[in-house]
């Protein structure tokens, strides 16, 4: 897949754009002031594969908390700012690696200039986060509703302002909870700017609905080569956001760390509790740091053939199963040994 050429921007230790791998982001859901639990959540996110984490900064205490959070974690931290420009400045002074603002709600150009001045001083990038729910009033009344065109106009206006202030360390996002509007907006903006794009569907919903919406929206854009960093928004544990982001990228060959798992949907030929077997194996392989494709198939008739391109697999039959490598059967194993034998083979893979 050919990715659009964008400018490279450094967020702490992670570079995005300019051909760097698509970075996975998530956001902590703890109160940032609750430093202990915020650090704990950031560590879980990092362990799950998160590259960049964002924390809400609703008050001065939260901005100050960033200092300790930064010291105790080793992942770039983005400060999420709304309304109060002073919080952006405080966050930068306390070690934020990037600021995310929605210029539409910062208030005045004077305040934006203060933020830009500080970001230049600390050499910190800023994400201009255009959100369909908080567009500038004049733009909203011109278009009547938060269309993709309205979001593009808002983005262009803000980019022009930042550039006129001599600030170019910009990342852009144009989020809407409507999948089609979001896709249209990113497709259009990617034609006119070469700043890195942070993509995602905002307020996507529960893990079930949000995963589907995000996969369609983020997936369509990534297939177009658009997107330098992604965030899956889910109403739930942020670790799930990272896991979903990884699978979206894995399915597009943009992420190849860890074990990929293929399993058949089961049908009338099934003789074992495949759903249980797959769920146990899925949990176990999440802890294995190897790059390979594993298949778990429900029958010995079609299993190995259907999973030809898997590295290792098992085709489960009644009382026994066939262990195969690259589609070739290498061993017949007993049913009570399916999981252990498969895991052992995965662990020995090199
Ligand atoms: Fe059915 Fe076998 Fe195919 Fe699974 S692998 S869907 S059990 S035919």
């Amino acid at each position: 897949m050919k990715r659009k050429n964008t400018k490279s921007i450094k967020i702490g230790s992670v570079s995005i754009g300019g051909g760097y791998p698509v970075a996975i982001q998530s956001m902590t859901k703890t109160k940032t002031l609750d430093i202990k639990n915020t650090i704990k959540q950031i560590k879980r996110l990092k362990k799950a594969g998160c590259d960049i984490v964002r924390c809400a900064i609703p008050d001065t205490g939260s901005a100050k908390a960033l200092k300790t959070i930064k010291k105790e974690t080793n992942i770039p931290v983005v400060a999420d700012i709304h309304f109060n420009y002073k919080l952006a400045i405080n966050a930068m002074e306390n070690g934020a690696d990037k600021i995310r603002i929605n210029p539409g709600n910062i208030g005045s150009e004077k305040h934006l200039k203060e933020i830009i001045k500080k970001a230049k001083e600390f050499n910190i990038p800023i994400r201009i986060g255009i959100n369909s729910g908080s567009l500038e009033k004049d733009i909203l009344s011109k278009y009547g509703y938060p269309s993709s065109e309205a979001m593009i106009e808002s983005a262009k206006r803000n980019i022009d302002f930042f550039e006129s202030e001599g600030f170019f360390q910009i990342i852009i996002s144009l989020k809407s909870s409507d999948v089609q509007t979001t896709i249209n907006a990113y497709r259009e903006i990617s034609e006119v700017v070469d700043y890195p794009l942070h993509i995602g569907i905002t307020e996507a919903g529960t893990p079930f609905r949000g995963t589907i919406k995000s996969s369609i929206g983020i997936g369509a854009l990534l297939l177009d080569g658009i997107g330098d960093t992604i965030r899956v928004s889910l109403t739930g544990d942020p670790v799930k956001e990272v896991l979903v982001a990884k699978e979206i990228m894995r399915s597009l060959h943009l992420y190849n760390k860890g074990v990929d798992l293929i399993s058949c949907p089961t049908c009338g030929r099934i003789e074992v509790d495949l759903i249980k077997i797959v769920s146990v194996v899925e949990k176990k392989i999440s802890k294995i740091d190897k790059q390979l494709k594993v298949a778990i198939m429900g029958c010995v008739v079609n299993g190995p053939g259907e999973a030809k391109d898997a590295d290792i697999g098992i085709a489960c039959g009644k009382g026994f199963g066939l262990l195969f490598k690259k589609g070739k059967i290498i061993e017949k194993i007993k049913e009570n040994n399916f999981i252990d034998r498969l895991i052992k083979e995965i662990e020995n893979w090199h």
Side-chain angles (χ1 to χ4, degrees):
M1 171 191 322
K2 197 172 174 321
R3 289 177 56 205
K4 296 237 171 173
N5 198 17
T6 51
K7 194 178 152 153
S8 125
I9 303 257
K10 215 158 181 263
I11 302 157
S13 56
V14 174
S15 293
I16 62 163
Y20 281 97
V22 177
I24 296 175
Q25 300 207 24
S26 184
M27 194 164 177
T28 49
K29 301 184 179 187
T30 49
K31 296 272 179 210
T32 308
L33 260 179
D34 179 357
I35 297 176
K36 191 171 149 238
N37 282 315
T38 302
I39 291 171
K40 211 164 137 193
Q41 195 164 74
I42 291 175
K43 287 186 173 169
R44 283 180 63 231
L45 286 166
K46 161 99 179 152
K47 199 168 164 213
C50 183
D51 299 305
I52 299 165
V53 71
R54 182 158 46 114
C55 298
I57 307 296
D59 47 43
T60 313
S62 301
K64 286 188 179 152
L66 287 179
K67 196 166 228 157
T68 314
I69 292 168
K70 279 288 300 170
K71 242 186 243 158
E72 300 295 322
T73 53
N74 59 350
I75 177 171
V77 177
V78 182
D80 192 74
I81 309 289
H82 285 280
F83 309 115
N84 187 345
Y85 79 103
K86 283 188 184 153
L87 295 176
I89 289 170
N90 285 343
M92 287 188 260
E93 287 171 343
N94 282 286
D97 295 295
K98 185 179 105 183
I99 297 294
R100 182 266 163 157
I101 55 168
N102 179 348
N105 70 25
I106 286 295
S108 67
E109 287 194 347
K110 187 170 161 268
H111 291 164
L112 275 179
K113 282 182 185 175
E114 292 289 329
I115 296 175
I116 292 170
K117 194 171 146 214
K118 191 56 86 175
K120 274 188 188 169
E121 185 189 330
F122 282 80
N123 196 25
I124 290 172
I126 297 177
R127 167 154 69 98
I128 300 177
I130 306 298
N131 203 307
S132 62
S134 49
L135 288 171
E136 291 92 335
K137 283 192 187 92
D138 63 314
I139 293 180
L140 201 54
S141 69
K142 178 176 167 189
Y143 290 91
Y145 72 104
S147 61
S148 56
E149 291 81 5
M151 288 201 285
I152 297 286
E153 183 163 333
S154 172
K156 280 189 188 157
R157 178 190 288 181
N158 284 295
I159 293 166
D160 286 349
F161 179 76
F162 276 65
E163 287 179 339
S164 71
E165 290 298 308
F167 191 83
F168 304 94
Q169 289 211 70
I170 299 170
I171 295 141
I172 312 287
S173 66
L174 300 160
K175 292 194 191 173
S176 160
S177 56
D178 182 73
V179 175
Q180 187 68 69
T181 304
T182 305
I183 293 172
N184 291 347
Y186 278 106
R187 279 182 176 155
E188 209 175 307
I189 198 81
S190 79
E191 294 293 324
V192 289
V193 300
D194 65 354
Y195 290 113
L197 298 179
H198 166 121
I199 63 171
I201 304 298
T202 197
E203 294 131 23
T206 59
F208 173 67
R209 289 161 205 269
T211 295
I212 295 167
K213 278 192 187 178
S214 300
S215 303
I216 295 170
I218 295 173
L221 289 167
L222 288 175
L223 276 169
D224 282 352
I226 298 168
D228 301 285
T229 178
I230 68 173
R231 194 260 170 125
V232 171
S233 306
L234 299 177
T235 312
D237 184 351
V239 166
K240 279 210 177 93
E241 297 184 354
V242 175
L243 301 182
V244 172
K246 274 163 61 175
E247 287 313 312
I248 293 173
M249 298 224 298
R250 196 194 303 281
S251 61
L252 299 173
H253 305 292
L254 290 169
Y255 187 91
N256 57 11
K257 292 181 215 154
V259 183
D260 190 8
L261 183 61
I262 298 162
S263 58
C264 85
T266 80
C267 71
R269 292 184 189 86
I270 200 85
E271 301 278 8
V272 293
D273 187 352
L274 197 82
I275 296 170
K276 193 172 161 203
I277 294 171
V278 171
S279 94
V280 173
V281 171
E282 188 175 46
K283 257 195 205 125
K284 288 187 184 266
I285 59 170
S286 69
K287 298 185 181 84
I288 299 176
D289 192 20
K290 299 242 166 158
Q291 280 180 34
L292 73 156
K293 206 183 256 187
V294 172
I296 304 180
M297 311 301 283
C299 75
V300 291
V301 184
N302 295 328
E306 282 180 10
K308 269 197 296 291
D309 63 338
D311 296 305
I312 297 175
I314 185 165
C316 307
K318 192 175 185 180
F320 72 96
L322 301 176
L323 189 67
F324 57 89
K325 268 189 187 175
K326 294 283 179 196
K328 287 209 173 94
I329 296 161
I330 56 159
E331 197 180 315
K332 193 171 174 180
I333 45 180
K334 284 194 180 146
E335 186 174 341
N336 60 3
N337 217 5
F338 284 171
I339 295 173
D340 291 349
R341 186 67 191 83
L342 185 63
I343 295 296
K344 194 172 162 215
E345 202 62 35
I346 296 168
E347 282 171 343
N348 290 338
W349 179 263
H350 51 82

